[in-house]
């Protein structure tokens, strides 16, 4: 109970180190999902296309890939995306149907999609999804469209570059000549040509994406399906999923895995394992990760994780150094006591036990205070950075106490070990 000021300072030093370590550890456990949710604003990380598109049959320089029903997916299968094992990791998805079109002599692509569509997953669950959720960074000036197709005044969103070329403003009516089958934005793929059809659309607003979509026209999927004579068909699906950065195991060849390895692989939310389950849920589909997006997410999460643990280590080392300096002062002040103990027959272990018990009490007090302070700090930081409170991880309490004990014992061992080597006679003579 003596030298209270120095002991309080030691407790404060340990508390600060443990508080920072606890806050960093708590955020690190939650940062994967939270950062992943933030990164989802950049769009999809899985693309689903017809499996027939991957069949390259070239004879004499001519591509004979299937151009009929095999080049499309069924819109009715989309609800299966929310029925897979990792259904809760599917944050949003949207189908696409691309139809070549002409407006006043300008060639463009008419894209059919969902904007804010309720999807009936099962009897008691409805999931809302579409471009609004899939691409939060896209700006629909004038508001998003309704997904209900209209036979009279169907509406559309027009890209800003296309609108500038045509001189079109929101509220105007445009007439689109639709000819040929559906295709993807690169001009490939499926569907045979059909008779030209003029579609009347009212420009609801401007869709600004900053990408190739700025030269395209977006309308409700049902409208485009009807115009292209492809009712119930889609050309592509983009999926936004929460994933874990792929490690060496995540990139393993599935065909060479044992049953145990395959189960572990499918039960881990790698982007490839989620894509694999999507292929199983949608007949005739090929799901491919958008590796540029997935790898960028993985690198960001890995670097954030490394930064977190470096900060935690720095905080603990700083606390240990603070305890060492204060324990050194304490040992120097009590050299006479140490010499007296040893002259009366106490061994080095007896003397060390007294000091280590004192250090342990400081460590336990600092660990408990640091855990509480770190948990509150993590809650505040998580709300400020991610807009959501961090989860309370009680497993950190014993971990915080153990780390606090290690910090104080290591910090006390160095000065104590040095003084225990001194002769009691020399200490008592003040030499």
């Amino acid at each position: 109970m003596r030298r209270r000021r120095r002991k309080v300072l030691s407790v404060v030093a340990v508390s600060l180190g443990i508080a920072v370590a606890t806050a960093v550890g708590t955020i690190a456990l939650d940062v994967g999902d939270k950062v992943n949710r933030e990164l989802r604003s950049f769009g999809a990380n899985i693309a689903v296309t017809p499996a027939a598109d991957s069949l390259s049959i070239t004879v004499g320089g001519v591509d004979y890939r299937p151009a009929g029903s095999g080049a499309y997916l069924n819109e009715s299968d989309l609800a299966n995306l929310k029925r897979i094992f990792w259904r809760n990791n599917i944050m949003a998805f949207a189908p696409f149907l691309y139809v070549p079109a002409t407006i006043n002599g300008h060639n463009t692509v008419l894209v059919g999609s969902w904007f804010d569509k309720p999807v009936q997953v099962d009897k008691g669950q409805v999931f809302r999804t579409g471009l609004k959720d899939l691409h939060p960074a896209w700006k629909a000036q004038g508001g998003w469209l309704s997904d209900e197709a209209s036979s009279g005044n169907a509406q559309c969103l027009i890209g800003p570059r296309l609108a500038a070329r045509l001189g079109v403003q929101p509220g105007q009516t445009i007439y689109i000549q639709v000819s040929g089958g559906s295709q993807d934005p690169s001009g490939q793929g499926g569907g045979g040509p059909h008779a030209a059809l003029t579609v009347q659309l009212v420009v609801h607003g401007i869709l600004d994406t900053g990408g190739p979509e700025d030269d395209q026209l977006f309308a409700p999927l049902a409208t485009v399906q009807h115009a292209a004579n492809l009712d119930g068909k889609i050309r592509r699906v983009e999926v936004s999923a929460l994933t874990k950065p792929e490690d060496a195991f995540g990139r393993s060849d599935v065909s060479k895995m044992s049953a145990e390895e395959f189960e572990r692989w499918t039960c881990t939310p790698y982007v490839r394992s989620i894509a694999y389950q999507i292929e199983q849920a949608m007949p005739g589909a090929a799901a491919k990760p958008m590796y540029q997006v997935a790898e960028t997410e993985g690198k960001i999460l890995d670097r954030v994780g490394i930064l977190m643990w470096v900060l935690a280590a720095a905080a603990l080392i700083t606390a240990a150094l603070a305890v060492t300096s204060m324990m050194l002062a304490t040992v120097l002040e009590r050299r006479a006591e140490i010499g007296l103990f040893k002259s009366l027959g106490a061994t080095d272990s007896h003397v060390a036990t007294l000091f280590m018990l004192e250090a342990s009490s400081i460590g336990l007090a600092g660990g408990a205070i640091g855990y509480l302070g770190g948990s509150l700090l993590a809650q505040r930081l998580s709300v400020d950075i991610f807009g959501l409170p961090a989860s309370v991880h009680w497993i950190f309490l014993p971990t915080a106490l153990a780390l606090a004990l290690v910090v104080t014992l290591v910090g006390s061992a160095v000065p104590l070990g040095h003084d225990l080597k001194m002769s009691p006679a020399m200490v008592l003579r003040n030499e």
Side-chain angles (χ1 to χ4, degrees):
M1 299 302 295
R2 296 166 60 187
R3 302 176 181 86
R4 293 187 181 124
R5 181 179 178 183
R6 187 167 295 146
K7 290 182 175 63
V8 168
L9 290 176
S10 298
V11 171
V12 170
V14 175
S15 299
L16 289 175
I18 296 301
V20 173
T22 300
V24 168
T26 300
I27 294 176
L29 286 181
D30 292 349
V31 75
D33 282 348
K34 288 182 170 61
V35 171
N36 221 329
R37 289 177 186 275
E38 292 292 327
L39 292 174
R40 290 296 88 246
S41 63
F42 293 104
N45 53 358
I46 299 176
V48 185
T49 56
D53 286 355
S54 62
L55 300 176
S56 181
I57 306 174
T58 304
V59 178
V62 179
D63 191 354
Y64 287 95
R65 287 181 299 177
S69 60
Y72 297 98
L73 299 171
N74 292 320
E75 181 184 1
S76 58
D77 292 332
L78 292 178
N80 293 337
L81 294 174
K82 291 296 290 182
R83 296 171 183 150
I84 63 174
F85 178 79
W86 288 109
R87 55 188 172 274
N88 292 328
N89 285 52
I90 303 296
M91 305 305 296
F93 58 87
F96 294 86
L97 183 63
Y98 306 96
V99 176
T102 303
I103 307 174
N104 297 334
H106 294 271
N107 293 326
T108 185
V109 176
L110 177 61
V111 184
S113 187
W114 291 347
F115 300 96
D116 186 18
K117 176 83 171 181
V119 179
Q120 190 73 40
V121 179
D122 54 38
K123 188 175 181 180
Q125 181 184 4
V126 175
F127 179 71
R128 298 196 72 92
T129 187
L131 295 178
K132 182 179 179 181
D133 297 313
L134 181 67
H135 293 285
W138 288 10
K139 304 301 180 184
Q141 301 174 19
W144 291 96
L145 294 181
S146 169
D147 286 292
E148 298 298 327
S150 172
S151 58
N153 291 320
Q155 295 184 319
C156 66
L157 294 175
I158 189 170
R161 289 197 294 264
L162 179 60
R165 289 202 306 271
L166 298 176
V168 173
Q169 297 294 330
Q172 289 185 235
T173 299
I174 57 177
Y175 297 89
I176 307 169
Q177 287 74 44
V178 177
S179 61
S182 171
Q183 61 180 33
D184 61 22
S186 64
Q188 293 181 344
H194 57 273
L197 176 69
T198 299
V199 180
Q200 178 181 335
L201 296 175
V202 176
V203 178
H204 179 76
I206 307 294
L207 182 61
D208 189 356
T209 70
E213 296 81 10
D214 287 355
D215 292 300
Q216 299 173 356
L217 200 66
F218 282 76
L221 179 62
T223 299
V224 179
Q225 287 173 333
H226 178 73
N229 196 27
L230 292 170
D231 292 337
K233 300 297 182 181
I234 55 177
R235 187 74 178 87
R236 173 187 173 93
V237 185
E238 291 186 0
V239 181
S240 175
L242 291 178
T243 62
K244 174 184 177 181
E246 284 193 335
D247 48 24
F249 176 71
R251 292 186 290 270
S252 302
D253 187 351
V254 178
S255 62
K256 297 180 180 179
M257 290 182 182
S258 64
E260 293 78 10
E261 290 174 333
F262 180 74
E263 182 178 1
R264 175 187 162 198
W265 183 77
T266 55
C267 291
T268 305
Y270 297 124
V271 65
R272 290 178 65 237
S273 64
I274 294 178
Y276 177 84
Q277 293 182 18
I278 290 174
E279 289 183 350
Q280 306 304 306
M282 295 185 65
K288 302 296 181 183
M290 297 180 180
Y291 281 109
Q292 184 176 5
V293 177
E295 289 176 1
T296 300
E297 292 175 2
K299 290 177 181 179
I300 291 175
L301 292 175
D302 288 341
R303 290 170 183 174
V304 169
I306 292 172
L307 176 61
M308 291 288 188
W309 296 120
V310 168
L311 289 174
L316 293 176
I317 292 172
T318 302
L321 292 175
V323 171
T324 299
S325 64
M326 282 180 275
M327 186 58 71
L328 177 60
T330 300
V331 171
L332 289 174
E333 285 183 355
R334 299 173 67 180
R335 276 184 174 179
E337 295 177 28
I338 295 173
L340 181 60
F341 284 167
K342 295 184 71 174
S343 66
L344 293 174
T347 63
D348 287 349
S349 61
H350 289 153
V351 176
T353 299
L354 293 175
F355 281 91
M356 289 304 179
L357 286 173
E358 184 177 299
S360 297
S361 63
I362 292 174
L364 291 174
I369 296 172
Y371 170 77
L372 294 175
S375 297
L376 293 175
L377 180 61
Q379 294 284 332
R380 179 62 182 270
L381 290 175
S382 184
V383 170
D384 290 344
I385 297 172
F386 302 108
L388 295 171
S391 304
V392 177
H393 300 283
W394 291 105
I395 191 174
F396 274 130
L397 179 56
T399 304
L401 295 177
L403 284 175
L405 282 175
V406 171
V407 166
T408 52
L409 294 179
V410 170
S412 303
V414 176
L416 182 60
H418 178 268
D419 274 33
L420 287 177
K421 295 178 181 179
M422 299 185 66
S423 169
M426 294 178 61
V427 172
L428 293 175
R429 289 200 302 264
N430 292 324
E431 296 181 359

